[in-house]
Amino acid sequence: MNKLLLALFLGFCVVVASGQTTIRQTSEETFECLMTERMQVIEQIHGIKFDKDWKPRVCFGYPDDLTKQEKLDWDAEYFSTSQSFLLSPELRYQNDVSLADHELGHALMDQISRRSGNGPWFNLERMSKMSAQERISIKILSEGVATYFEYKGDPPDKDGDENGVNFLPEGPEHYGWKGNSYKYKGGRWIVAPIIRNYGERGIIYLITHPMVYHYDQVRTGAKAYQAKALKELGATQLYAPLQIGA
């Protein structure tokens, strides 16, 4: 795709004369096209396939349960019930590749869960019956997987995030509980070597093996979980390390 076609593909530009600011406006259709293009890139980078006939569907809006303040910090959400995406209307003027990759990471985890016989990921009805600790564990692993794809699978240390594990709370008074960074940065730290070495099979492990922690010691539980996962995945021929391009 040449540069001209790519520009048309991504949207149109509006030049604001006063500041000569260029705004690239994105419709639902063009963001869907961007996601379709990113699906191919994700498959090439990671050697993991999306479902053959699946196409991303995008709508701009907000979840009904968000407050006015929460809407200011909300970007997007993937819904396993409809296998579609809801994006903040404030993002209509951005062709955000990182956001597309992150949300596609959620969709890919859901598809892997379904085709491995584990149902939708995640199942809201099932989660409603879980303890708060179990729900937090699922969110950490889910956001970790999506953030892994957002960062193109780069090692955490490539962008200065080698200490991502430190974002995971270690005790009830830890500052990490005051925000959401622990789910994204800490989650990415947990899942990165598992996906990098074992690809789709590593994601199936994350889906089928919950992370356990005690007394709000999430960091300690995460270290034990990652070590156990890598040991068990490497112990059998079924979970031999992934060789992309072999």
Side-chain angles (χ1 to χ4, degrees), residues 157-229:
D157 57 2
K158 186 169 183 179
D159 59 3
D161 195 28
E162 71 273 16
N163 296 317
V165 67
N166 294 331
F167 284 87
L168 293 169
E170 189 69 346
E173 302 302 323
H174 191 270
Y175 70 88
W177 291 117
K178 297 179 180 180
N180 287 315
S181 292
Y182 74 94
K183 296 176 184 176
Y184 300 92
K185 294 185 177 181
R188 178 188 173 205
W189 179 89
I190 296 169
V191 309
I194 297 171
I195 302 176
R196 189 179 305 115
N197 288 313
Y198 299 100
E200 181 167 335
R201 292 166 293 182
I203 294 177
I204 293 173
Y205 186 97
L206 297 169
I207 292 168
T208 56
H209 293 73
M211 185 182 74
V212 178
Y213 62 90
H214 302 285
Y215 310 112
D216 292 331
Q217 308 292 331
V218 183
R219 190 184 309 168
T220 297
K223 290 178 179 179
Y225 178 85
Q226 185 191 78
K228 184 173 183 286

Side-chain angles (χ1 to χ4, degrees), residues 41-79:
V41 175
I42 288 172
E43 290 180 340
Q44 292 171 356
I45 292 175
H46 304 283
I48 306 174
K49 299 291 185 180
F50 288 87
D51 288 348
K52 183 177 180 182
D53 297 321
W54 180 77
K55 301 295 182 183
R57 289 184 292 120
V58 169
C59 182
F60 288 106
Y62 293 108
D64 294 335
D65 58 348
L66 289 186
T67 66
K68 185 176 181 179
Q69 181 60 40
E70 288 172 334
K71 289 179 180 179
L72 297 177
D73 299 322
W74 186 85
D75 290 328
E77 186 171 349
Y78 170 75
F79 293 92

Side-chain angles (χ1 to χ4, degrees), residues 98-111:
S98 293
L99 177 66
D101 288 359
H102 183 98
E103 295 306 319
L104 284 169
H106 283 304
L108 184 55
M109 193 173 190
D110 178 34
Q111 292 176 19

Side-chain angles (χ1 to χ4, degrees), residues 7 23 47 86 95 163 213:
I23 302 174
L86 185 65
N95 290 290
N163 296 317
Y213 62 90

Side-chain angles (χ1 to χ4, degrees), residues 1 11 18 26-27 69 77 88 122 127 131 142 172 191 203 205:
M1 184 180 294
S18 59
T26 303
S27 68
Q69 181 60 40
E77 186 171 349
S88 167
F122 39 78
M127 282 189 69
S131 67
S142 297
V191 309
I203 294 177
Y205 186 97

